[in-house]
PDB file of all heavy atoms in Angstrom:
ATOM      1  N   THR A 236     244.675  46.204 165.913  1.00  0.00           N
ATOM      2  CA  THR A 236     245.220  44.897 166.294  1.00  0.00           C
ATOM      3  C   THR A 236     244.111  43.990 166.812  1.00  0.00           C
ATOM      4  O   THR A 236     244.052  42.801 166.477  1.00  0.00           O
ATOM      5  CB  THR A 236     246.316  45.060 167.368  1.00  0.00           C
ATOM      6  OG1 THR A 236     247.346  45.919 166.864  1.00  0.00           O
ATOM      7  CG2 THR A 236     246.919  43.716 167.728  1.00  0.00           C
ATOM      8  N   PHE A 237     243.220  44.545 167.623  1.00  0.00           N
ATOM      9  CA  PHE A 237     242.061  43.811 168.132  1.00  0.00           C
ATOM     10  C   PHE A 237     241.206  43.304 166.973  1.00  0.00           C
ATOM     11  O   PHE A 237     240.770  42.149 166.943  1.00  0.00           O
ATOM     12  CB  PHE A 237     241.246  44.742 169.035  1.00  0.00           C
ATOM     13  CG  PHE A 237     239.929  44.190 169.500  1.00  0.00           C
ATOM     14  CD1 PHE A 237     239.868  43.286 170.548  1.00  0.00           C
ATOM     15  CD2 PHE A 237     238.736  44.594 168.905  1.00  0.00           C
ATOM     16  CE1 PHE A 237     238.643  42.780 170.995  1.00  0.00           C
ATOM     17  CE2 PHE A 237     237.517  44.101 169.340  1.00  0.00           C
ATOM     18  CZ  PHE A 237     237.468  43.198 170.384  1.00  0.00           C
ATOM     19  N   THR A 238     240.994  44.172 165.986  1.00  0.00           N
ATOM     20  CA  THR A 238     240.160  43.818 164.835  1.00  0.00           C
ATOM     21  C   THR A 238     240.817  42.734 163.993  1.00  0.00           C
ATOM     22  O   THR A 238     240.157  41.785 163.550  1.00  0.00           O
ATOM     23  CB  THR A 238     239.885  45.062 163.978  1.00  0.00           C
ATOM     24  OG1 THR A 238     239.287  46.068 164.802  1.00  0.00           O
ATOM     25  CG2 THR A 238     238.960  44.744 162.820  1.00  0.00           C
ATOM     26  N   TYR A 239     242.122  42.853 163.762  1.00  0.00           N
ATOM     27  CA  TYR A 239     242.836  41.853 162.976  1.00  0.00           C
ATOM     28  C   TYR A 239     242.760  40.479 163.649  1.00  0.00           C
ATOM     29  O   TYR A 239     242.521  39.459 162.990  1.00  0.00           O
ATOM     30  CB  TYR A 239     244.301  42.265 162.801  1.00  0.00           C
ATOM     31  CG  TYR A 239     245.135  41.269 162.042  1.00  0.00           C
ATOM     32  CD1 TYR A 239     245.089  41.206 160.650  1.00  0.00           C
ATOM     33  CD2 TYR A 239     245.963  40.374 162.707  1.00  0.00           C
ATOM     34  CE1 TYR A 239     245.857  40.288 159.945  1.00  0.00           C
ATOM     35  CE2 TYR A 239     246.726  39.450 162.019  1.00  0.00           C
ATOM     36  CZ  TYR A 239     246.675  39.413 160.633  1.00  0.00           C
ATOM     37  OH  TYR A 239     247.420  38.494 159.949  1.00  0.00           O
ATOM     38  N   ALA A 240     242.957  40.463 164.964  1.00  0.00           N
ATOM     39  CA  ALA A 240     242.904  39.184 165.692  1.00  0.00           C
ATOM     40  C   ALA A 240     241.537  38.533 165.561  1.00  0.00           C
ATOM     41  O   ALA A 240     241.426  37.310 165.390  1.00  0.00           O
ATOM     42  CB  ALA A 240     243.252  39.421 167.169  1.00  0.00           C
ATOM     43  N   ARG A 241     240.483  39.327 165.618  1.00  0.00           N
ATOM     44  CA  ARG A 241     239.138  38.780 165.457  1.00  0.00           C
ATOM     45  C   ARG A 241     238.885  38.352 164.015  1.00  0.00           C
ATOM     46  O   ARG A 241     238.155  37.394 163.751  1.00  0.00           O
ATOM     47  CB  ARG A 241     238.105  39.831 165.888  1.00  0.00           C
ATOM     48  CG  ARG A 241     238.087  40.084 167.387  1.00  0.00           C
ATOM     49  CD  ARG A 241     237.573  38.865 168.161  1.00  0.00           C
ATOM     50  NE  ARG A 241     236.223  38.539 167.779  1.00  0.00           N
ATOM     51  CZ  ARG A 241     235.142  39.107 168.310  1.00  0.00           C
ATOM     52  NH1 ARG A 241     235.277  40.017 169.263  1.00  0.00           N
ATOM     53  NH2 ARG A 241     233.934  38.763 167.907  1.00  0.00           N
ATOM     54  N   ALA A 242     239.481  39.085 163.079  1.00  0.00           N
ATOM     55  CA  ALA A 242     239.275  38.775 161.660  1.00  0.00           C
ATOM     56  C   ALA A 242     239.825  37.411 161.291  1.00  0.00           C
ATOM     57  O   ALA A 242     239.284  36.730 160.411  1.00  0.00           O
ATOM     58  CB  ALA A 242     239.916  39.853 160.785  1.00  0.00           C
ATOM     59  N   ILE A 243     240.895  36.993 161.946  1.00  0.00           N
ATOM     60  CA  ILE A 243     241.494  35.694 161.626  1.00  0.00           C
ATOM     61  C   ILE A 243     240.464  34.581 161.772  1.00  0.00           C
ATOM     62  O   ILE A 243     240.300  33.744 160.872  1.00  0.00           O
ATOM     63  CB  ILE A 243     242.712  35.420 162.532  1.00  0.00           C
ATOM     64  CG1 ILE A 243     243.848  36.394 162.198  1.00  0.00           C
ATOM     65  CG2 ILE A 243     243.198  33.980 162.356  1.00  0.00           C
ATOM     66  CD1 ILE A 243     245.061  36.242 163.097  1.00  0.00           C
ATOM     67  N   SER A 244     239.751  34.585 162.893  1.00  0.00           N
ATOM     68  CA  SER A 244     238.783  33.517 163.129  1.00  0.00           C
ATOM     69  C   SER A 244     237.535  33.663 162.264  1.00  0.00           C
ATOM     70  O   SER A 244     236.993  32.671 161.763  1.00  0.00           O
ATOM     71  CB  SER A 244     238.388  33.474 164.614  1.00  0.00           C
ATOM     72  OG  SER A 244     237.824  34.710 165.016  1.00  0.00           O
ATOM     73  N   GLN A 245     237.063  34.900 162.035  1.00  0.00           N
ATOM     74  CA  GLN A 245     235.839  35.070 161.249  1.00  0.00           C
ATOM     75  C   GLN A 245     236.092  34.884 159.757  1.00  0.00           C
ATOM     76  O   GLN A 245     235.173  34.608 158.993  1.00  0.00           O
ATOM     77  CB  GLN A 245     235.184  36.420 161.537  1.00  0.00           C
ATOM     78  CG  GLN A 245     235.914  37.645 161.022  1.00  0.00           C
ATOM     79  CD  GLN A 245     235.488  38.046 159.622  1.00  0.00           C
ATOM     80  OE1 GLN A 245     234.363  37.833 159.223  1.00  0.00           O
ATOM     81  NE2 GLN A 245     236.414  38.649 158.883  1.00  0.00           N
ATOM     82  N   ARG A 246     237.337  35.011 159.321  1.00  0.00           N
ATOM     83  CA  ARG A 246     237.638  34.797 157.910  1.00  0.00           C
ATOM     84  C   ARG A 246     237.854  33.322 157.567  1.00  0.00           C
ATOM     85  O   ARG A 246     237.692  32.940 156.410  1.00  0.00           O
ATOM     86  CB  ARG A 246     238.884  35.599 157.501  1.00  0.00           C
ATOM     87  CG  ARG A 246     238.609  37.082 157.323  1.00  0.00           C
ATOM     88  CD  ARG A 246     239.838  37.830 156.844  1.00  0.00           C
ATOM     89  NE  ARG A 246     239.519  39.237 156.578  1.00  0.00           N
ATOM     90  CZ  ARG A 246     240.394  40.136 156.162  1.00  0.00           C
ATOM     91  NH1 ARG A 246     241.657  39.770 155.958  1.00  0.00           N
ATOM     92  NH2 ARG A 246     240.030  41.385 155.941  1.00  0.00           N
ATOM     93  N   GLU A 247     238.219  32.531 158.533  1.00  0.00           N
ATOM     94  CA  GLU A 247     238.532  31.130 158.252  1.00  0.00           C
ATOM     95  C   GLU A 247     237.408  30.398 157.518  1.00  0.00           C
ATOM     96  O   GLU A 247     237.664  29.741 156.495  1.00  0.00           O
ATOM     97  CB  GLU A 247     238.908  30.409 159.552  1.00  0.00           C
ATOM     98  CG  GLU A 247     239.639  29.085 159.352  1.00  0.00           C
ATOM     99  CD  GLU A 247     238.696  27.918 159.077  1.00  0.00           C
ATOM    100  OE1 GLU A 247     237.482  28.060 159.365  1.00  0.00           O
ATOM    101  OE2 GLU A 247     239.166  26.873 158.587  1.00  0.00           O
ATOM    102  N   PRO A 248     236.154  30.487 157.980  1.00  0.00           N
ATOM    103  CA  PRO A 248     235.087  29.796 157.234  1.00  0.00           C
ATOM    104  C   PRO A 248     234.851  30.382 155.846  1.00  0.00           C
ATOM    105  O   PRO A 248     234.395  29.675 154.941  1.00  0.00           O
ATOM    106  CB  PRO A 248     233.850  29.974 158.125  1.00  0.00           C
ATOM    107  CG  PRO A 248     234.159  31.102 159.037  1.00  0.00           C
ATOM    108  CD  PRO A 248     235.637  31.070 159.241  1.00  0.00           C
ATOM    109  N   ARG A 249     235.173  31.638 155.648  1.00  0.00           N
ATOM    110  CA  ARG A 249     235.023  32.243 154.334  1.00  0.00           C
ATOM    111  C   ARG A 249     236.100  31.717 153.375  1.00  0.00           C
ATOM    112  O   ARG A 249     235.808  31.377 152.226  1.00  0.00           O
ATOM    113  CB  ARG A 249     235.078  33.778 154.434  1.00  0.00           C
ATOM    114  CG  ARG A 249     233.982  34.365 155.331  1.00  0.00           C
ATOM    115  CD  ARG A 249     234.012  35.880 155.358  1.00  0.00           C
ATOM    116  NE  ARG A 249     233.600  36.471 154.090  1.00  0.00           N
ATOM    117  CZ  ARG A 249     232.347  36.669 153.728  1.00  0.00           C
ATOM    118  NH1 ARG A 249     231.343  36.314 154.535  1.00  0.00           N
ATOM    119  NH2 ARG A 249     232.072  37.223 152.567  1.00  0.00           N
ATOM    120  N   TYR A 250     237.322  31.638 153.848  1.00  0.00           N
ATOM    121  CA  TYR A 250     238.390  31.034 153.030  1.00  0.00           C
ATOM    122  C   TYR A 250     238.069  29.567 152.738  1.00  0.00           C
ATOM    123  O   TYR A 250     238.285  29.080 151.624  1.00  0.00           O
ATOM    124  CB  TYR A 250     239.731  31.107 153.761  1.00  0.00           C
ATOM    125  CG  TYR A 250     240.318  32.479 153.912  1.00  0.00           C
ATOM    126  CD1 TYR A 250     240.791  32.915 155.153  1.00  0.00           C
ATOM    127  CD2 TYR A 250     240.433  33.343 152.826  1.00  0.00           C
ATOM    128  CE1 TYR A 250     241.352  34.168 155.311  1.00  0.00           C
ATOM    129  CE2 TYR A 250     240.996  34.602 152.979  1.00  0.00           C
ATOM    130  CZ  TYR A 250     241.455  35.005 154.221  1.00  0.00           C
ATOM    131  OH  TYR A 250     242.013  36.247 154.392  1.00  0.00           O
ATOM    132  N   ARG A 251     237.574  28.875 153.758  1.00  0.00           N
ATOM    133  CA  ARG A 251     237.277  27.445 153.577  1.00  0.00           C
ATOM    134  C   ARG A 251     236.203  27.261 152.500  1.00  0.00           C
ATOM    135  O   ARG A 251     236.299  26.345 151.679  1.00  0.00           O
ATOM    136  CB  ARG A 251     236.824  26.827 154.901  1.00  0.00           C
ATOM    137  CG  ARG A 251     236.610  25.304 154.833  1.00  0.00           C
ATOM    138  CD  ARG A 251     236.393  24.720 156.209  1.00  0.00           C
ATOM    139  NE  ARG A 251     237.570  24.891 157.031  1.00  0.00           N
ATOM    140  CZ  ARG A 251     238.644  24.112 156.974  1.00  0.00           C
ATOM    141  NH1 ARG A 251     238.687  23.102 156.095  1.00  0.00           N
ATOM    142  NH2 ARG A 251     239.685  24.335 157.754  1.00  0.00           N
TER     143      ARG A 251
END
Side-chain angles (χ1 to χ4, degrees):
T236 302
F237 173 79
T238 304
Y239 178 80
R241 290 292 299 275
I243 292 177
S244 59
Q245 70 90 30
R246 284 183 175 179
E247 197 277 343
R249 300 183 70 83
Y250 291 132
R251 185 170 296 280

